[in-house]
Coordinates of all heavy atoms in Angstrom, one line a residue:
M1 N 11.2 36.8 36.2 CA 11.2 35.5 36.7 C 10.1 35.3 37.8 O 9.3 34.4 37.8 CB 12.5 35.2 37.4 CG 12.6 33.9 38.2 SD 12.1 32.4 37.3 CE 13.7 31.9 36.9
R2 N 10.0 36.3 38.7 CA 9.0 36.2 39.8 C 7.5 36.2 39.2 O 6.6 35.5 39.8 CB 9.2 37.2 40.8 CG 10.5 37.1 41.5 CD 10.5 37.6 42.9 NE 11.9 37.6 43.5 CZ 12.4 36.5 44.0 NH1 11.7 35.4 44.1 NH2 13.6 36.5 44.5
Q3 N 7.3 36.9 38.1 CA 6.0 36.9 37.5 C 5.7 35.5 36.9 O 4.5 35.1 36.8 CB 5.9 37.9 36.4 CG 6.0 39.4 36.9 CD 6.1 40.4 35.8 OE1 6.4 40.0 34.7 NE2 5.8 41.6 36.1
M4 N 6.7 34.8 36.5 CA 6.5 33.5 35.9 C 6.2 32.3 36.9 O 5.7 31.3 36.6 CB 7.8 33.1 35.1 CG 7.7 31.9 34.3 SD 9.3 31.6 33.5 CE 9.9 30.2 34.5
L5 N 6.5 32.6 38.2 CA 6.4 31.5 39.2 C 5.0 31.0 39.3 O 4.9 29.8 39.6 CB 6.9 32.0 40.6 CG 8.4 32.4 40.6 CD1 8.8 32.9 42.0 CD2 9.3 31.2 40.3
S6 N 4.0 31.8 39.2 CA 2.7 31.3 39.3 C 2.3 30.3 38.2 O 1.3 29.6 38.4 CB 1.7 32.5 39.4 OG 1.7 33.2 38.1
S7 N 3.0 30.2 37.1 CA 2.7 29.3 36.1 C 3.4 28.0 36.3 O 3.2 27.0 35.5 CB 3.1 29.9 34.7 OG 4.5 30.0 34.6
L8 N 4.2 27.8 37.3 CA 4.9 26.5 37.6 C 4.0 25.7 38.6 O 3.4 26.3 39.5 CB 6.3 26.8 38.2 CG 7.2 27.6 37.3 CD1 8.5 27.9 38.0 CD2 7.6 26.7 36.0
D9 N 4.0 24.4 38.4 CA 3.3 23.5 39.2 C 4.2 22.5 39.9 O 5.3 22.3 39.4 CB 2.3 22.7 38.3 CG 1.2 23.5 37.7 OD1 0.7 24.4 38.3 OD2 1.0 23.3 36.5
A10 N 3.7 22.0 41.0 CA 4.5 21.0 41.7 C 4.9 19.9 40.7 O 4.1 19.4 39.9 CB 3.6 20.4 42.9
G11 N 6.1 19.4 40.8 CA 6.6 18.4 39.9 C 7.4 19.0 38.7 O 8.1 18.3 38.0
D12 N 7.2 20.3 38.4 CA 7.9 20.9 37.4 C 9.4 21.1 37.7 O 9.8 21.0 38.9 CB 7.4 22.3 37.1 CG 6.0 22.3 36.3 OD1 5.6 21.2 35.8 OD2 5.4 23.4 36.3
I13 N 10.2 21.2 36.7 CA 11.7 21.4 36.9 C 12.0 22.7 36.2 O 11.8 22.8 35.0 CB 12.5 20.3 36.4 CG1 12.2 19.0 37.1 CG2 14.0 20.6 36.5 CD1 12.8 17.7 36.5
L14 N 12.5 23.7 36.9 CA 13.0 24.9 36.3 C 14.4 24.9 36.0 O 15.3 24.6 36.9 CB 12.7 26.1 37.3 CG 13.2 27.5 36.8 CD1 12.3 28.0 35.6 CD2 13.1 28.5 38.0
L15 N 14.8 25.1 34.8 CA 16.2 25.2 34.3 C 16.5 26.7 34.1 O 15.8 27.3 33.2 CB 16.4 24.3 33.1 CG 17.8 24.3 32.5 CD1 18.8 23.8 33.5 CD2 17.8 23.5 31.2
A16 N 17.5 27.2 34.8 CA 17.7 28.7 34.7 C 19.2 28.9 34.6 O 20.0 28.1 35.1 CB 17.1 29.4 35.8
D17 N 19.6 30.1 34.1 CA 21.0 30.4 34.1 C 21.5 31.0 35.4 O 20.7 31.2 36.3 CB 21.3 31.3 32.9 CG 20.7 32.7 32.9 OD1 20.3 33.1 34.0 OD2 20.5 33.3 31.9
A18 N 22.7 31.4 35.4 CA 23.3 31.9 36.7 C 22.7 33.2 37.2 O 22.9 33.5 38.4 CB 24.8 32.1 36.5
N19 N 22.0 34.0 36.4 CA 21.4 35.2 36.8 C 20.3 34.9 37.9 O 20.0 35.8 38.6 CB 20.8 36.0 35.7 CG 21.8 36.5 34.8 OD1 22.9 36.9 35.2 ND2 21.5 36.5 33.5
F20 N 19.8 33.7 37.9 CA 18.7 33.4 38.9 C 19.1 32.5 40.0 O 18.3 32.1 40.8 CB 17.5 32.8 38.1 CG 17.0 33.7 37.0 CD1 17.3 33.5 35.7 CD2 16.2 34.8 37.4 CE1 16.8 34.3 34.7 CE2 15.7 35.6 36.4 CZ 16.0 35.4 35.1
E21 N 20.4 32.2 40.1 CA 20.9 31.4 41.2 C 20.9 32.1 42.5 O 21.8 32.9 42.7 CB 22.3 30.9 40.8 CG 22.9 30.0 41.8 CD 24.3 30.5 42.1 OE1 24.9 31.4 41.5 OE2 24.9 29.8 43.0
N22 N 19.9 31.9 43.3 CA 20.0 32.5 44.7 C 19.1 31.7 45.6 O 18.2 31.1 45.3 CB 19.6 34.0 44.6 CG 18.1 34.2 44.5 OD1 17.3 34.0 45.4 ND2 17.7 34.7 43.3
Y23 N 19.5 31.8 46.9 CA 18.9 31.0 47.9 C 17.4 31.2 48.1 O 16.6 30.3 48.2 CB 19.6 31.3 49.2 CG 19.0 30.7 50.5 CD1 19.5 29.4 50.8 CD2 18.1 31.3 51.2 CE1 19.0 28.8 51.9 CE2 17.5 30.6 52.3 CZ 18.0 29.4 52.7 OH 17.4 28.8 53.8
F24 N 17.0 32.5 48.0 CA 15.6 32.8 48.3 C 14.7 32.4 47.2 O 13.6 31.9 47.5 CB 15.5 34.3 48.6 CG 16.4 34.8 49.8 CD1 17.5 35.5 49.6 CD2 16.0 34.4 51.1 CE1 18.3 35.9 50.7 CE2 16.8 34.7 52.1 CZ 18.0 35.5 52.0
L25 N 15.1 32.5 46.0 CA 14.3 31.9 44.9 C 14.2 30.4 45.0 O 13.1 29.8 44.8 CB 14.9 32.3 43.5 CG 14.2 31.8 42.3 CD1 12.7 32.2 42.3 CD2 14.9 32.2 41.0
L26 N 15.3 29.8 45.3 CA 15.3 28.3 45.4 C 14.3 27.8 46.5 O 13.6 26.9 46.4 CB 16.7 27.8 45.7 CG 16.8 26.3 45.7 CD1 16.3 25.6 44.4 CD2 18.3 25.9 46.0
V27 N 14.4 28.5 47.7 CA 13.4 28.2 48.8 C 12.0 28.3 48.3 O 11.2 27.4 48.5 CB 13.7 29.1 50.0 CG1 12.5 29.0 51.0 CG2 15.0 28.7 50.7
Q28 N 11.7 29.4 47.6 CA 10.3 29.6 47.1 C 9.9 28.5 46.2 O 8.8 28.0 46.3 CB 10.2 31.0 46.5 CG 8.8 31.4 46.1 CD 8.8 32.8 45.6 OE1 9.8 33.4 45.3 NE2 7.6 33.3 45.3
L29 N 10.8 28.1 45.3 CA 10.5 27.1 44.3 C 10.2 25.7 45.1 O 9.3 25.0 44.8 CB 11.6 26.9 43.3 CG 11.7 28.0 42.3 CD1 13.0 27.9 41.6 CD2 10.5 28.1 41.4
L30 N 11.1 25.4 46.0 CA 11.0 24.1 46.6 C 9.8 24.0 47.5 O 9.2 23.0 47.7 CB 12.3 23.8 47.5 CG 13.6 23.6 46.6 CD1 14.8 23.4 47.6 CD2 13.4 22.4 45.7
E31 N 9.4 25.1 48.1 CA 8.2 25.2 48.9 C 6.9 24.9 48.1 O 5.9 24.4 48.6 CB 8.1 26.5 49.7 CG 9.0 26.6 50.9 CD 8.9 27.9 51.6 OE1 8.4 28.8 51.1 OE2 9.4 27.9 52.7
T32 N 7.0 25.2 46.8 CA 5.8 24.9 45.9 C 6.0 23.6 45.2 O 5.1 23.3 44.4 CB 5.6 26.1 44.9 OG1 6.8 26.2 44.1 CG2 5.3 27.4 45.6
G33 N 7.0 22.8 45.5 CA 7.2 21.5 44.9 C 7.9 21.6 43.5 O 7.8 20.6 42.8
V34 N 8.5 22.7 43.2 CA 9.2 22.8 41.9 C 10.7 22.6 42.2 O 11.3 23.2 43.1 CB 8.9 24.2 41.3 CG1 9.8 24.4 40.0 CG2 7.5 24.4 41.0
D35 N 11.3 21.7 41.4 CA 12.7 21.5 41.5 C 13.4 22.5 40.5 O 12.8 23.0 39.6 CB 13.1 20.1 41.1 CG 12.7 19.1 42.1 OD1 12.8 19.3 43.3 OD2 12.2 18.0 41.7
A36 N 14.7 22.8 40.8 CA 15.4 23.8 40.0 C 16.8 23.3 39.8 O 17.4 22.7 40.6 CB 15.3 25.1 40.6
V37 N 17.3 23.7 38.6 CA 18.7 23.5 38.2 C 19.2 24.9 37.8 O 18.7 25.5 36.8 CB 18.9 22.5 37.1 CG1 20.4 22.3 36.7 CG2 18.3 21.1 37.5
F38 N 20.3 25.4 38.4 CA 20.8 26.7 38.1 C 22.3 26.5 37.6 O 23.0 25.7 38.3 CB 20.8 27.6 39.3 CG 19.5 28.0 39.8 CD1 18.9 27.4 40.9 CD2 18.7 28.9 39.1 CE1 17.7 27.7 41.3 CE2 17.4 29.3 39.6 CZ 16.9 28.6 40.7
E39 N 22.7 27.2 36.7 CA 24.1 27.3 36.4 C 24.8 28.1 37.5 O 24.2 29.0 38.1 CB 24.3 28.1 35.1 CG 25.8 28.2 34.7 CD 25.9 29.0 33.3 OE1 24.9 29.4 32.8 OE2 27.1 29.1 32.9
K40 N 26.0 27.7 37.9 CA 26.7 28.4 39.0 C 27.1 29.7 38.5 O 27.7 29.9 37.4 CB 28.0 27.5 39.4 CG 28.8 28.2 40.5 CD 30.0 27.4 40.7 CE 31.1 27.8 39.8 NZ 31.6 29.1 39.8
N41 N 26.9 30.7 39.4 CA 27.4 32.1 39.1 C 28.9 32.0 39.1 O 29.6 31.5 40.0 CB 26.9 33.0 40.2 CG 27.2 34.4 40.0 OD1 28.4 34.8 39.8 ND2 26.3 35.3 40.0
G42 N 29.5 32.6 38.1 CA 30.9 32.6 37.9 C 31.8 33.2 39.0 O 32.9 32.9 39.1
S43 N 31.2 34.1 39.8 CA 31.9 34.7 40.8 C 32.0 33.9 42.1 O 32.7 34.2 43.0 CB 31.3 36.1 41.2 OG 30.0 35.9 41.7
R44 N 31.3 32.8 42.1 CA 31.3 31.9 43.3 C 32.4 30.9 43.2 O 32.5 30.2 42.2 CB 29.9 31.2 43.5 CG 28.8 32.1 43.8 CD 27.5 31.3 44.0 NE 26.4 32.1 44.0 CZ 25.8 32.8 45.0 NH1 26.4 32.7 46.2 NH2 24.7 33.5 44.8
N45 N 33.1 30.7 44.3 CA 34.2 29.7 44.3 C 33.5 28.5 45.0 O 32.9 28.5 46.1 CB 35.4 30.1 45.1 CG 36.1 31.2 44.5 OD1 36.3 31.2 43.2 ND2 36.6 32.2 45.2
I46 N 33.6 27.3 44.3 CA 33.1 26.1 44.8 C 34.2 25.1 45.2 O 35.0 24.8 44.4 CB 32.1 25.4 43.8 CG1 31.0 26.4 43.4 CG2 31.6 24.1 44.3 CD1 30.0 26.7 44.4
D47 N 34.2 24.6 46.4 CA 35.1 23.6 46.9 C 34.4 22.3 46.9 O 33.6 22.0 47.8 CB 35.6 24.0 48.3 CG 36.7 23.1 48.8 OD1 37.0 22.0 48.1 OD2 37.4 23.4 49.8
F48 N 34.7 21.5 45.9 CA 34.0 20.2 45.8 C 34.4 19.2 46.8 O 33.8 18.2 47.0 CB 34.3 19.6 44.4 CG 33.4 20.3 43.3 CD1 33.9 21.3 42.6 CD2 32.1 19.9 43.1 CE1 33.2 22.0 41.6 CE2 31.3 20.6 42.2 CZ 31.9 21.6 41.4
R49 N 35.4 19.5 47.6 CA 35.8 18.6 48.8 C 34.7 18.8 49.9 O 34.7 17.9 50.7 CB 37.2 19.0 49.3 CG 38.3 18.7 48.3 CD 39.6 19.3 48.8 NE 39.5 20.7 48.9 CZ 40.4 21.5 49.3 NH1 41.6 21.1 49.6 NH2 40.2 22.8 49.3
K50 N 33.9 19.8 49.8 CA 32.9 20.1 50.9 C 31.5 19.7 50.4 O 30.6 20.0 51.1 CB 33.0 21.6 51.3 CG 34.3 22.0 51.9 CD 34.3 23.4 52.2 CE 35.6 23.8 52.9 NZ 35.6 25.2 53.2
C51 N 31.4 19.1 49.3 CA 30.0 18.7 48.8 C 29.5 17.5 49.6 O 30.2 16.7 50.2 CB 30.0 18.4 47.3 SG 30.8 17.0 46.8
Q52 N 28.2 17.5 49.7 CA 27.5 16.4 50.4 C 27.6 15.1 49.7 O 27.7 14.0 50.3 CB 26.0 16.7 50.6 CG 25.8 18.0 51.4 CD 26.2 17.9 52.8 OE1 25.6 17.3 53.5 NE2 27.2 18.5 53.3
E53 N 27.6 15.2 48.3 CA 27.7 14.0 47.5 C 28.3 14.4 46.2 O 27.9 15.3 45.5 CB 26.3 13.4 47.2 CG 26.3 12.1 46.4 CD 24.9 11.6 46.1 OE1 24.0 12.0 46.8 OE2 24.8 10.8 45.2
K54 N 29.4 13.6 45.8 CA 30.1 13.9 44.6 C 29.3 13.2 43.4 O 29.0 12.0 43.5 CB 31.5 13.3 44.7 CG 32.4 13.6 43.5 CD 33.1 14.9 43.8 CE 34.2 15.1 42.8 NZ 34.4 16.4 42.3
L55 N 29.0 13.9 42.4 CA 28.2 13.4 41.3 C 29.1 13.2 40.0 O 28.8 12.3 39.2 CB 27.1 14.3 40.9 CG 26.1 14.6 42.0 CD1 25.0 15.6 41.6 CD2 25.4 13.3 42.5
G56 N 30.2 13.9 39.9 CA 31.0 13.8 38.8 C 32.2 14.7 39.0 O 32.4 15.3 40.1
K57 N 33.1 14.8 38.0 CA 34.3 15.6 38.2 C 34.1 17.0 38.6 O 34.7 17.6 39.5 CB 35.1 15.6 36.8 CG 36.4 16.3 36.9 CD 37.2 16.2 35.7 CE 38.6 16.9 35.8 NZ 39.4 16.8 34.6
R58 N 33.0 17.7 38.0 CA 32.7 19.0 38.4 C 31.2 19.2 38.7 O 30.6 20.2 38.5 CB 33.1 20.0 37.2 CG 34.6 19.9 36.9 CD 35.0 21.0 35.9 NE 34.9 22.3 36.5 CZ 35.2 23.4 36.0 NH1 35.6 23.4 34.7 NH2 35.1 24.5 36.6
D59 N 30.7 18.1 39.4 CA 29.3 18.1 39.8 C 29.3 17.6 41.3 O 30.0 16.7 41.6 CB 28.5 17.2 39.0 CG 27.9 17.9 37.7 OD1 27.7 19.2 37.8 OD2 27.7 17.3 36.7
G60 N 28.4 18.2 42.1 CA 28.2 17.8 43.4 C 27.0 18.4 44.0 O 26.5 19.4 43.5
L61 N 26.5 17.7 45.1 CA 25.4 18.2 45.8 C 25.9 19.0 47.0 O 26.7 18.4 47.8 CB 24.4 17.1 46.2 CG 23.7 16.4 45.1 CD1 22.9 15.2 45.7 CD2 22.9 17.3 44.3
F62 N 25.4 20.2 47.3 CA 25.8 21.0 48.4 C 24.6 21.4 49.3 O 23.5 21.6 48.8 CB 26.5 22.3 47.9 CG 27.8 22.1 47.2 CD1 27.8 21.7 45.9 CD2 29.0 22.2 47.9 CE1 29.0 21.5 45.2 CE2 30.2 21.9 47.3 CZ 30.2 21.6 45.9
R63 N 24.9 21.5 50.5 CA 23.8 22.0 51.5 C 24.0 23.5 51.5 O 25.1 24.0 51.8 CB 24.1 21.4 52.9 CG 23.1 21.8 53.9 CD 23.3 21.1 55.2 NE 22.2 21.4 56.1 CZ 22.2 22.4 56.9 NH1 23.1 23.3 56.9 NH2 21.2 22.6 57.7
L64 N 22.9 24.2 51.3 CA 22.9 25.6 51.3 C 22.6 26.2 52.7 O 21.8 25.6 53.4 CB 21.9 26.2 50.3 CG 22.0 25.8 48.8 CD1 20.9 26.4 48.0 CD2 23.4 26.3 48.3
V65 N 23.3 27.3 53.0 CA 23.1 27.9 54.3 C 22.4 29.3 54.0 O 22.8 30.0 53.1 CB 24.4 28.1 55.0 CG1 24.2 28.9 56.3 CG2 25.1 26.8 55.3
R66 N 21.4 29.6 54.8 CA 20.7 30.8 54.6 C 21.6 32.0 54.7 O 22.3 32.2 55.7 CB 19.5 31.0 55.6 CG 18.7 32.2 55.5 CD 17.6 32.3 56.4 NE 18.0 32.4 57.8 CZ 17.3 32.5 58.9 NH1 16.0 32.5 58.7 NH2 17.8 32.6 60.1
P67 N 21.7 32.9 53.7 CA 22.5 34.1 53.8 C 21.9 35.2 54.6 O 20.8 35.0 55.1 CB 22.6 34.5 52.3 CG 21.4 34.0 51.7 CD 21.0 32.7 52.4
R68 N 22.6 36.2 54.8 CA 22.1 37.4 55.6 C 20.8 37.9 54.9 O 20.6 37.7 53.7 CB 23.1 38.6 55.6 CG 24.4 38.3 56.4 CD 25.3 39.5 56.3 NE 25.1 40.2 55.1 CZ 25.2 41.6 54.9 NH1 25.5 42.3 55.9 NH2 25.1 42.2 53.8
R69 N 20.0 38.6 55.7 CA 18.8 39.2 55.1 C 19.1 40.3 54.2 O 19.8 41.2 54.5 CB 17.9 39.7 56.3 CG 16.6 40.3 55.8 CD 15.7 40.8 56.9 NE 16.4 41.9 57.7 CZ 16.3 43.2 57.3 NH1 15.6 43.5 56.2 NH2 16.9 44.1 58.0
P70 N 18.6 40.2 52.9 CA 18.8 41.3 52.0 C 18.0 42.5 52.4 O 17.0 42.4 53.0 CB 18.4 40.7 50.6 CG 17.6 39.6 51.0 CD 17.9 39.1 52.3
D71 N 18.4 43.7 52.0 CA 17.7 44.9 52.3 C 16.3 45.0 51.9 O 15.4 45.5 52.5 CB 18.5 46.2 51.7 CG 19.8 46.4 52.4 OD1 20.0 45.9 53.5 OD2 20.7 47.0 51.7
W72 N 16.0 44.3 50.7 CA 14.6 44.4 50.2 C 13.6 43.5 50.9 O 12.4 43.5 50.7 CB 14.6 44.1 48.7 CG 15.3 42.8 48.4 CD1 16.6 42.5 48.0 CD2 14.7 41.5 48.4 NE1 16.8 41.2 47.8 CE2 15.6 40.5 48.0 CE3 13.4 41.0 48.7 CZ2 15.4 39.2 47.9 CZ3 13.1 39.6 48.6 CH2 14.1 38.7 48.2
M73 N 14.1 42.6 51.8 CA 13.3 41.6 52.4 C 13.0 42.0 53.9 O 13.9 42.4 54.6 CB 14.0 40.2 52.4 CG 13.1 39.1 53.0 SD 14.0 37.5 53.0 CE 13.8 37.1 51.3
S74 N 11.7 41.9 54.3 CA 11.3 42.2 55.6 C 11.9 41.2 56.6 O 12.1 40.0 56.2 CB 9.8 42.3 55.8 OG 9.2 41.0 55.7
Q75 N 12.0 41.6 57.8 CA 12.5 40.7 58.9 C 11.6 39.5 59.1 O 12.0 38.4 59.3 CB 12.8 41.4 60.2 CG 13.4 40.5 61.2 CD 14.8 40.1 60.9 OE1 15.6 41.0 60.5 NE2 15.2 38.9 61.0
E76 N 10.3 39.8 59.0 CA 9.2 38.8 59.1 C 9.4 37.7 58.1 O 9.3 36.5 58.4 CB 7.9 39.4 59.1 CG 6.7 38.4 59.3 CD 5.4 39.1 59.2 OE1 5.3 40.3 59.0 OE2 4.4 38.3 59.2
I77 N 9.5 38.0 56.8 CA 9.7 37.0 55.8 C 11.0 36.3 55.9 O 11.0 35.1 55.8 CB 9.6 37.7 54.4 CG1 8.1 38.2 54.2 CG2 10.0 36.7 53.3 CD1 7.9 39.0 52.9
Y78 N 12.0 37.0 56.3 CA 13.3 36.4 56.5 C 13.3 35.3 57.6 O 13.8 34.2 57.4 CB 14.4 37.4 56.8 CG 15.8 36.9 57.0 CD1 16.5 36.5 55.8 CD2 16.3 36.7 58.2 CE1 17.8 36.0 56.0 CE2 17.6 36.2 58.4 CZ 18.3 35.8 57.3 OH 19.6 35.3 57.4
D79 N 12.6 35.6 58.7 CA 12.5 34.7 59.8 C 11.8 33.4 59.4 O 12.0 32.4 60.0 CB 11.8 35.3 61.0 CG 12.7 36.4 61.6 OD1 13.9 36.4 61.4 OD2 12.1 37.3 62.3
Q80 N 11.0 33.5 58.3 CA 10.2 32.3 57.9 C 11.1 31.4 57.0 O 10.7 30.3 56.7 CB 8.9 32.7 57.2 CG 7.9 33.4 58.1 CD 6.8 34.0 57.3 OE1 6.6 33.7 56.1 NE2 6.0 34.8 58.0
M81 N 12.2 31.9 56.5 CA 13.0 31.2 55.6 C 13.8 30.1 56.3 O 14.3 30.3 57.4 CB 14.0 32.1 54.9 CG 13.5 33.1 53.9 SD 13.0 32.2 52.4 CE 12.1 33.5 51.6
P82 N 13.9 28.9 55.8 CA 14.6 27.8 56.5 C 16.1 28.1 56.5 O 16.6 28.8 55.6 CB 14.4 26.6 55.6 CG 14.0 27.1 54.3 CD 13.3 28.4 54.5
E83 N 16.8 27.7 57.6 CA 18.2 27.9 57.7 C 19.0 26.8 56.9 O 20.1 27.0 56.5 CB 18.6 27.9 59.1 CG 18.1 29.1 59.8 CD 18.6 29.3 61.3 OE1 19.7 28.9 61.5 OE2 17.8 29.7 62.1

């Protein structure tokens, strides 16, 4: 997936399955002007009462919060990620 990112342009929309649903990839895409739609990872529990905007019975917009720094990411890069 990361090798493919350079072929995406601002205004593109990336449609991906749940294997690619993560905060850090989404930030990288949005910073380059690429929108993304990910399937929800099945292990995540979603409370639709907490969504920012209800779109449908099982659809909503949520505000993401920056997770803890993963081991593979330097502190410098992590500090540049939006909260």
Side-chain angles (χ1 to χ4, degrees):
M1 168 60 95
R2 297 209 186 275
Q3 292 173 341
M4 186 182 107
L5 294 180
S6 63
S7 66
L8 297 172
D9 297 316
D12 286 348
I13 300 172
L14 176 69
L15 178 61
D17 65 21
N19 290 325
F20 299 103
E21 176 228 359
N22 74 73
Y23 176 88
F24 300 108
L25 175 60
L26 184 57
V27 166
Q28 188 175 6
L29 291 167
L30 292 177
E31 285 179 343
T32 58
V34 175
D35 289 321
V37 177
F38 297 100
E39 180 181 2
K40 181 186 80 65
N41 185 307
S43 66
R44 295 186 195 270
N45 293 321
I46 301 294
D47 185 348
F48 284 94
R49 295 172 296 183
K50 296 179 180 180
C51 69
Q52 302 290 291
E53 182 181 344
K54 188 89 166 137
L55 301 175
K57 184 176 179 180
R58 297 188 71 177
D59 275 330
L61 295 177
F62 291 84
R63 181 176 187 275
L64 299 178
V65 177
R66 181 177 66 178
R68 292 180 332 145
R69 180 180 63 85
D71 292 337
W72 56 265
M73 183 179 285
S74 72
Q75 186 66 48
E76 181 181 355
I77 292 174
Y78 181 76
D79 290 342
Q80 295 173 10
M81 294 284 171
E83 293 186 33

